[in-house]
């Protein structure tokens, strides 16, 4: 009976809610005030700067492809210099979100998979599960329903 309840919940979450409100797809993103981030960015260095660059990239992933790409690219370079795998994965995930919102599903899956590979190597289970949810959304909007369920159940198992 528990599996049946879980399947019903997944169906409601994945299939019904997007029909009522497409913006719900964007609810699980960490949104930040871009103007505030731009004010604090110039003097920042190292990890602090990396975090702000990733916050900017994530916040701009829906509305400004050029700026999202700019901040994510800078974050990836800085993450490489700092040997910060989590920062690198966050930048790749932001680029995946950007491609998803643009309707480039293969590009989105490519970036999400790169982020997943890093999260798996670093045993970051929470971010693995979140990225799997992102992958499931891509499959859902690409009308690949079987794959959507498969990936959502993988995320559930990790949670």
């Amino acid at each position: 009976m528990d599996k049946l309840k879980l399947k019903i919940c997944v169906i409601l979450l994945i299939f019904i809610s997007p029909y009522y409100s497409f913006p719900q797809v964007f609810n699980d993103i960490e949104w930040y005030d871009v103007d505030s981030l731009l004010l604090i960015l110039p003097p920042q260095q190292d990890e602090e700067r990396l975090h702000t660059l990733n916050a900017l990239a994530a916040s701009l992933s829906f509305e400004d492809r050029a700026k999202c790409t700019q901040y994510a690219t800078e974050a990836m370079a800085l993450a490489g210099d700092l040997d910060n795998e989590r920062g690198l994965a966050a930048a790749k995930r932001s680029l995946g979100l950007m491609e998803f919102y643009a309707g480039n599903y293969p590009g989105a899956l490519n970036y999400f998979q790169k982020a997943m590979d890093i999260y798996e190597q670093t045993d970051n289970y929470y971010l693995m599960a979140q990225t799997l949810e992102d992958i499931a959304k891509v499959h859902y909007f690409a009308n690949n329903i079987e794959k959507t369920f498969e990936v959502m159940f993988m995320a559930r198992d990790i949670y």
Side-chain angles (χ1 to χ4, degrees):
M1 188 68 171
D2 289 327
K3 279 190 171 185
L4 179 61
K5 287 180 184 177
L6 179 63
K7 285 182 181 180
I8 291 171
C9 287
V10 169
I11 289 170
L12 289 173
L13 289 173
I14 294 175
F15 298 112
I16 296 174
S17 62
Y19 290 114
Y20 293 110
S21 177
F22 184 75
Q24 288 182 0
V25 174
F26 312 112
N27 283 346
D28 68 342
I29 303 165
E30 291 187 42
W31 295 96
Y32 300 95
D33 181 53
V34 173
D35 292 333
S36 297
L37 292 172
L38 290 172
L39 285 174
I40 65 170
L41 182 64
Q44 292 182 332
Q45 296 180 0
D46 301 329
E47 301 289 333
E48 187 178 44
R49 183 173 184 85
L50 177 61
H51 177 73
T52 302
L53 289 168
N54 277 324
L56 280 164
S59 297
L60 292 166
S61 62
F62 176 70
E63 61 188 4
D64 193 332
R65 288 179 58 86
K67 293 225 184 252
C68 174
T69 302
Q70 172 191 338
Y71 293 122
T73 301
E74 187 178 341
M76 287 189 293
L78 183 57
D81 293 344
L82 298 172
D83 196 29
N84 185 315
E85 293 295 316
R86 185 173 177 173
L88 179 62
K92 290 182 183 292
R93 186 172 177 223
S94 291
L95 291 171
L97 291 169
M98 178 190 73
E99 294 298 344
F100 169 70
Y101 299 140
N104 179 4
Y105 300 144
L109 289 173
N110 182 43
Y111 281 118
F112 288 146
Q113 188 57 56
K114 289 177 181 181
M116 273 297 295
D117 293 344
I118 295 169
Y119 293 139
E120 287 175 348
Q121 291 171 359
T122 59
D123 293 328
N124 193 325
Y125 296 107
Y126 178 73
L127 291 174
M128 283 172 54
Q130 281 192 326
T131 305
L132 283 170
E133 288 179 8
D134 294 334
I135 292 169
K137 287 178 202 171
V138 172
H139 284 295
Y140 172 73
F141 282 94
N143 206 26
N144 190 350
I145 304 307
E146 287 182 28
K147 190 68 172 176
T148 301
F149 273 110
E150 179 185 326
V151 175
M152 283 302 291
F153 285 126
M154 289 169 56
R156 179 208 60 193
D157 292 343
I158 291 173
Y159 278 127

